[in-house]
Amino acid sequence: MMMSLSASAHSFLLLPPCRPKLGSISFPHSLLRPIHTPPPALQPFLFPRHRRRRRRRGGREGSGHPSAGPTAAVGGIEGPQSVAEAASVLAAIILVHEGGHFLAATLQGIRVSKFAVGFGPVLASFVAGGVEYSLRAFPLGGFVGFPDDDPDSDVPPDDADLLKNRPVLDRILVVSAGVAANVVFAYLIVFAQVLTVGLPVQEPVPGLLVPEVRPGSAAARDGLRPGDVILGINGAPAPSVSDLVDVIKTSAGRNVAMTVAREGTKSVELSVVPDENTDGTGRIGVQLSPNYRLSKVRAKNLAQATVFASREFLGLSATVLDGLKQTFLNFSQSASKVSGPVAIIAVGAEVARSSSDGLFQFAAVINLNLAVINLLPLPALDGGSLALILVEAARGGRKIPREVEQRIMSSGILVVVMLGLFLIVRDTLNLDFIKEML
């Protein structure tokens, strides 16, 4: 978002990846649990380090911490309904952001001339109340236009209701209203989820899950399969992941009796003989993770919904902020993973196919990302406009020369639009069905 010489407020759908520390990930996301992370379907967007490889569920043998759950690749867009749902979410987020600027301006009596979704050539438009509402060709965001420096405007340049002639506080309210609208919208989305589909929660159940068995390993040789649940070992109930790993390490070449629950059967008795490592410890070649049952918790009344939604919202916010922090600390590695509209819709479509609660959290995460990114003090963003206004305030109200402001903001808009178009082309060419055509 920004306030340029042409007096318009822009929002751009160019979002960097969020990467919270993988060691803190649990499955699925819920603030009703002590560990917080978005649902697995969102992981390609939030953790896009290996976009074309599914993350393995569960930690490797010897680790008591599961890694991120299974995710879908960003490479495919399948199903017109899920794509439409994801695109509708993005359109709603843009409308809310620009609606924040629009309302903050009109409620203060500030003149507004344009309200647009997208950039570039106009695809459709209408005029109401002196404001042109339009849908434009490039789906990179949107903008609210003001007649301050519009050469076609018949408003006198000294009109008190022009944005540029308003006090600093009035302009700060207009510029920051888009971010505030996204934050409020994100909270309302989570609140609606709590009241409708509910929040996913993990309930621990007995046993240890075996997400993966390496081909040719001792576990594969002796009959252990992916998806099995180890209920007991050597006649005792299954211990924790770390305890089981210790048993395996100290049992190289010796039988380890396992009671295993397998889909379609009550239980299976197996005898697994760990292979011996070079250091004399045993290994069986599996991944292990705690066993959880997924359930939903729905608020019973508005008071409970407020508590649940507030806790979930704070958890999502912390995840987004931590991810953005890691992104900027490792910017050289993260710059190539910035997501444009096509990639975001691809992930949103996958989320929509996987679960309704995932779509709620997809919308909330995108809102929070857009809010935080727009607060950065960079040209073409809300934070850049706020920075210029604060510089003006620090100068005792002396305005920055309009030519200087124009150069700063125009260069920022050009860079962001060019980046956005590049991302649209790149992400489109990376779609599976486009690759097949090529």
Side-chain angles (χ1 to χ4, degrees), residues 27 56-64 66-67 69-70 202 205-213 224-232 238-241 244-245 258-263 284 286-294:
F27 171 80
R56 295 175 176 178
R57 182 180 177 186
R60 289 194 177 276
E61 176 184 333
S63 171
S67 63
Q202 294 175 323
V205 293
L208 297 176
L209 180 65
V210 181
E212 182 176 340
V213 178
L224 207 57
R225 301 177 186 175
D228 284 350
V229 176
I230 301 174
L231 299 177
S240 65
V241 171
L244 178 55
V245 170
M258 293 186 181
T259 303
V260 175
R262 181 171 293 166
E263 186 176 0
I284 63 173
V286 297
Q287 289 182 325
L288 298 171
S289 73
N291 193 23
Y292 292 104
R293 177 175 59 215
L294 304 181

Side-chain angles (χ1 to χ4, degrees), residues 3-215:
M3 304 303 298
S4 68
L5 182 63
S6 59
S8 59
H10 299 71
S11 63
F12 297 96
L13 280 173
L14 307 175
L15 305 180
C18 301
R19 290 196 190 125
K21 296 179 181 179
L22 295 182
S24 67
I25 291 176
S26 67
F27 171 80
H29 171 79
S30 176
L31 239 162
L32 301 179
R33 303 287 303 167
I35 303 176
H36 323 297
T37 184
L42 280 183
Q43 306 267 336
F45 176 71
L46 294 179
F47 312 104
R49 193 171 302 169
H50 306 293
R51 280 185 169 172
R52 284 164 181 69
R53 293 168 50 191
R54 289 180 179 270
R55 291 187 179 272
R56 295 175 176 178
R57 182 180 177 186
R60 289 194 177 276
E61 176 184 333
S63 171
H65 301 288
S67 63
T71 63
V74 179
I77 292 184
E78 301 175 2
Q81 180 178 350
S82 58
V83 172
E85 289 174 351
S88 297
V89 168
L90 291 187
I93 290 170
I94 296 171
L95 287 171
V96 166
H97 188 101
E98 302 306 333
H101 292 295
F102 183 83
L103 287 176
T106 55
L107 290 177
Q108 296 184 87
I110 296 173
R111 295 182 183 273
V112 178
S113 58
K114 296 179 181 180
F115 186 105
V117 175
F119 296 96
V122 176
L123 300 179
S125 67
F126 67 92
V127 177
V131 179
E132 178 193 68
Y133 300 86
S134 62
L135 177 66
R136 303 196 174 218
F138 303 129
L140 296 174
F143 66 91
V144 173
F146 301 88
D148 295 38
D149 298 285
D150 185 352
D152 297 327
S153 174
D154 57 1
V155 180
D158 59 349
D159 190 300
D161 290 332
L162 289 177
L163 180 64
K164 67 180 181 181
N165 297 329
R166 285 303 187 97
V168 167
L169 182 58
D170 289 358
R171 283 179 282 151
I172 288 178
L173 289 176
V174 173
V175 174
S176 60
V179 169
N182 280 129
V183 172
V184 172
F185 190 37
Y187 179 83
L188 293 177
I189 289 170
V190 176
F191 191 84
Q193 179 186 2
V194 170
L195 287 176
T196 55
V197 301
L199 296 175
V201 297
Q202 294 175 323
E203 295 181 2
V205 293
L208 297 176
L209 180 65
V210 181
E212 182 176 340
V213 178
R214 289 197 196 116

Side-chain angles (χ1 to χ4, degrees), residues 243-267:
D243 290 340
L244 178 55
V245 170
D246 290 340
V247 172
I248 292 171
K249 284 184 175 180
T250 58
S251 302
R254 300 200 303 270
N255 287 336
V256 177
M258 293 186 181
T259 303
V260 175
R262 181 171 293 166
E263 186 176 0
T265 62
K266 290 186 177 179
S267 63

